[in-house]
Amino acid sequence: MTHRFNTAQATWKLVRVGSHLALGWWTVKRIFPRLDWHQKQQQKQAWALTLLALLAIKLEVSGEPAQRGPVLLVANHISWLDIVVLMATCPCRFVAKAEVSHWPLLGTLATGLGTLFVTRESPRDAVRVVHQMAEHLQAGDLLAIFPEGTTSQGTQLLPFHANLFQAAVSAGAPVQPVALQFIDAASGEPSLAPCYINDDSLLQSIWRTLTVPTLCAAVRFGEPQNVLGRDRRALARDVRGAVDALRQPAAAPLWHLQQPT
């Protein structure tokens, strides 16, 4: 009976989430062209907060998320939800792997929200995107990257690839470390449900997330770091250490971000 109940609940959540994704697609296509920058950011944050609420994911935040650039946000990478969580907390533009642009609905949304796509297997394309990132930072944008280069279970931090840090070095922009964790609200233990790793398909990850009664997305923002003469490798190493420290239990306490009900 419990299994049937969870399946029914998950199916209902899936219907509501699908409708909300379609609404986001319609908003990007039809409404965004008529909005100014601030109105777009308000729409993006409201949409992301509502999506988390529909997924029964509570959002808890500590630290001060940057609200304007130029800043390069650097976060660990666990799930497709990472983008939604960061979008709910600050008005950032993302750098994502090119495959995301082909995801049903989500790819259209990501493109419409100004995501910069990079083909990670191509050094030439990485150089192109770094130049593009530097231009956006110099123009005052807030960019977010996941320098592990792939998702993980979130139980340990993978090495950071240094290439994209060159954009902050070239633009002289501060870098803000961010730690993401997903926690089972009932047990208080880290949850693997939202993970998107190994042979997982996107649909499998989404379904696991839907079948968990309540999750908590914990986001910790560290202090922004200035480049201070560091090259991209030194900057990547130091920021990775800061992200890892934010992931520890002794890090700053979380506060609850109000979400739609």
Side-chain angles (χ1 to χ4, degrees), residues 57-99:
I57 298 176
K58 297 179 179 179
L59 182 59
E60 295 185 340
V61 182
S62 74
E64 294 292 335
Q67 295 300 314
R68 62 179 62 187
V71 176
L72 181 66
L73 296 175
V74 177
N76 60 309
H77 202 10
I78 300 172
S79 170
W80 54 276
L81 277 169
D82 299 343
I83 290 175
V84 180
V85 169
L86 287 179
M87 194 189 306
T89 59
C90 56
C92 56
R93 181 195 297 262
F94 295 91
V95 181
K97 60 184 181 180
E99 292 92 326

Side-chain angles (χ1 to χ4, degrees), residues 40-52:
K40 287 179 181 179
Q41 302 316 311
Q42 291 173 349
Q43 290 274 345
K44 285 166 59 176
Q45 184 178 34
W47 181 87
L49 286 168
T50 299
L51 180 57
L52 293 175

Side-chain angles (χ1 to χ4, degrees), residues 23-233:
L23 175 62
W25 180 90
W26 185 85
T27 299
V28 165
K29 289 290 188 180
R30 301 296 184 184
I31 304 298
F32 265 32
R34 304 198 297 268
L35 303 181
D36 61 28
W37 184 88
H38 292 287
Q39 291 171 326
K40 287 179 181 179
Q41 302 316 311
Q42 291 173 349
Q43 290 274 345
K44 285 166 59 176
Q45 184 178 34
W47 181 87
L49 286 168
T50 299
L51 180 57
L52 293 175
L54 291 173
L55 289 165
I57 298 176
K58 297 179 179 179
L59 182 59
E60 295 185 340
V61 182
S62 74
E64 294 292 335
Q67 295 300 314
R68 62 179 62 187
V71 176
L72 181 66
L73 296 175
V74 177
N76 60 309
H77 202 10
I78 300 172
S79 170
W80 54 276
L81 277 169
D82 299 343
I83 290 175
V84 180
V85 169
L86 287 179
M87 194 189 306
T89 59
C90 56
C92 56
R93 181 195 297 262
F94 295 91
V95 181
K97 60 184 181 180
E99 292 92 326
V100 172
S101 65
H102 303 297
W103 287 358
L105 273 181
L106 292 175
T108 302
L109 280 169
T111 301
L113 295 172
T115 301
L116 307 179
F117 296 108
V118 56
T119 303
R120 287 175 175 157
E121 298 78 13
S122 170
R124 178 176 295 181
D125 198 54
V127 170
R128 174 191 65 82
V129 171
V130 166
H131 285 307
Q132 198 174 8
M133 289 171 60
E135 290 175 355
H136 280 286
L137 289 170
Q138 289 166 348
D141 276 2
L142 185 59
L143 300 181
I145 63 172
F146 304 102
E148 289 172 289
T150 187
T151 51
S152 73
Q153 290 184 336
T155 55
Q156 60 181 2
L157 198 59
L158 301 178
F160 277 10
H161 298 286
N163 289 350
L164 297 183
F165 284 87
Q166 183 60 45
V169 173
S170 298
V175 178
Q176 184 170 28
V178 187
L180 302 173
Q181 291 178 306
F182 292 95
I183 299 167
D184 185 286
S187 67
E189 297 296 323
S191 174
L192 302 183
C195 293
Y196 181 37
I197 58 174
N198 299 330
D199 295 327
D200 280 346
S201 70
L202 179 61
L203 288 178
Q204 286 173 325
S205 175
I206 291 173
W207 183 252
R208 279 200 311 271
T209 304
L210 291 169
T211 57
V212 177
T214 307
L215 287 170
C216 174
V219 193
R220 288 186 167 95
F221 288 87
E223 291 296 322
Q225 299 186 19
N226 291 316
V227 175
L228 297 177
R230 288 175 287 185
D231 64 18
R232 65 188 185 191
R233 291 181 178 83

